[in-house]
Amino acid sequence: MLDALVIGAGPAGLMAAEELARAGRRVVVCEAKASVGRKFLMAGKSGLNVTKDEASARFQAAYGGDWLAPMLAAFGPGEVQAWCRELGQQVFTGSSGRVFPVAMKASPLLRAWLARLADLGVDIRTRWRWDGFEGAGFRFLAPGGVEVLHPAVTVLALGGASWARLGSDGAWVPWLRERGVDVAPWQPANVGFAVNWSPHMTRFFGQPVKGVALCVGGQRERGEFNLSSKGLEGGGIYAVSRGLRDGAGLVLDLMPDVPAAEVVARLARMRVGETAANRLRKLGLSAVAVALMQEFGRGLPLTAVKALPVRLAGPRPLDEAISVAGGVRREAVTQGLELRALPGVFVCGEMLDWEAPTGGYLLTGCWATGRWAGRAAAQVRVA
């Protein structure tokens, strides 16, 4: 019988494999794609943000509940940074508190990690795609044909349902539901929102909107976002995407550092008869911010620069989302992330029903849950 099986070779799965191997288990990792960590490598293309260096309570609050609290307490920002350094990857903290490897890319960290896993005896098999259950076994479509594995313990780290081309396609959901596992429906998280633009906005596509505050319900976030032919996207939008997805409206404060009374006073000092565009430019708005006022502020006073309602046409499709909400519900697993309906099978990473913003939280959450599941799985005795 196979000792320990991990299905999925992303950050969560590889972390689970490392913990199992450190505990003395003989580990096989099966990955559907031709190489490991594809979404991890993609995330690192613009700078690998491994975590956020901030107080524990504030960091954990970003996950919207207490489910992951013990896992994040055991492997939070400090532990992530130490783990990177152990792999020979020095890190630094940016002005926003985001932590990056000095190399910035994901590939050096992944290469060092895979070398350590090889030293621990972890057997990684690529192009082994899980194809559901066969009796009590796990059926795979492997290079040599169909293979059925019967491990003593299994960790599932199959990702969510966004970026299917990189491996997270959610194909596992019906297989687990058939075995009695409660899986919450998928919803896009950290996602852009569609806008039905007027033709005059075309020339602003690709431009960033900086130095604004985004207000959604009771949430107010400082950040920037980009205009595209599809709508609005980028970090500022992702930070408020949960509230927008749940039905709250988006209101922009285009001059967050200037009190409303001061805006009124500045407008009053301007010459009568000046065009609205000139007045907005004199207030200090960028060309793209002026365009947004012209797009969404028609019929509103110019003081709407402090509270500009934006007409959105819903979130972009699930597969365009950076991450997802939904997945295996908290009630479906034990404290050690073992499936109640499938003893000996553990789950971690984006398969679980948790949600967090970008900025290092997602990757830390995957590592923390993978470590937690791997350690718990290592305690399962071999029959």
Side-chain angles (χ1 to χ4, degrees), residues 287-334:
V288 67
V290 171
L292 287 173
M293 276 291 294
Q294 293 173 326
E295 179 75 358
F296 299 117
R298 292 186 183 278
L300 299 177
L302 297 186
T303 51
V305 295
K306 294 294 295 178
L308 178 65
V310 177
R311 296 184 298 276
L312 301 176
R316 295 295 304 161
L318 184 66
D319 199 49
E320 292 183 17
I322 291 177
S323 61
V324 291
V328 176
R329 295 186 192 270
R330 182 176 185 174
E331 297 77 15
V333 297
T334 67

Side-chain angles (χ1 to χ4, degrees), residues 4 7 20 29 37 67 73 89 93-94 116 140 147-148 163 171 179 184 203 213 231 240 243 245 307 312 346 370:
I7 306 180
L20 282 160
V29 178
W67 184 14
Q89 303 301 306
T93 302
R116 183 158 78 184
F140 290 87
E147 301 276 357
V148 180
W163 294 36
R179 295 296 176 109
R203 67 189 181 96
V240 296
R245 184 193 69 212
L312 301 176
F346 296 74

Side-chain angles (χ1 to χ4, degrees), residues 5-18 27-41 110 113-114 117 122-130 140 155-159 166-168 348-349 351 363 366-367:
L5 172 66
V6 176
I7 306 180
L14 294 178
M15 185 62 82
E18 179 173 344
V27 185
V28 170
V29 178
C30 291
E31 165 58 42
K33 295 296 185 179
S35 58
V36 307
R38 290 197 169 193
K39 192 172 181 182
F40 177 67
L41 291 170
L110 182 59
W113 193 8
L114 291 175
L117 290 171
V122 175
D123 176 9
I124 299 178
R125 303 176 184 179
T126 55
R127 295 191 175 91
W128 275 60
R129 182 176 182 82
W130 185 35
F140 290 87
V155 177
L156 302 179
L158 294 154
L166 300 179
S168 297
C348 59
M351 288 186 71
L363 194 45
C366 287
W367 278 328

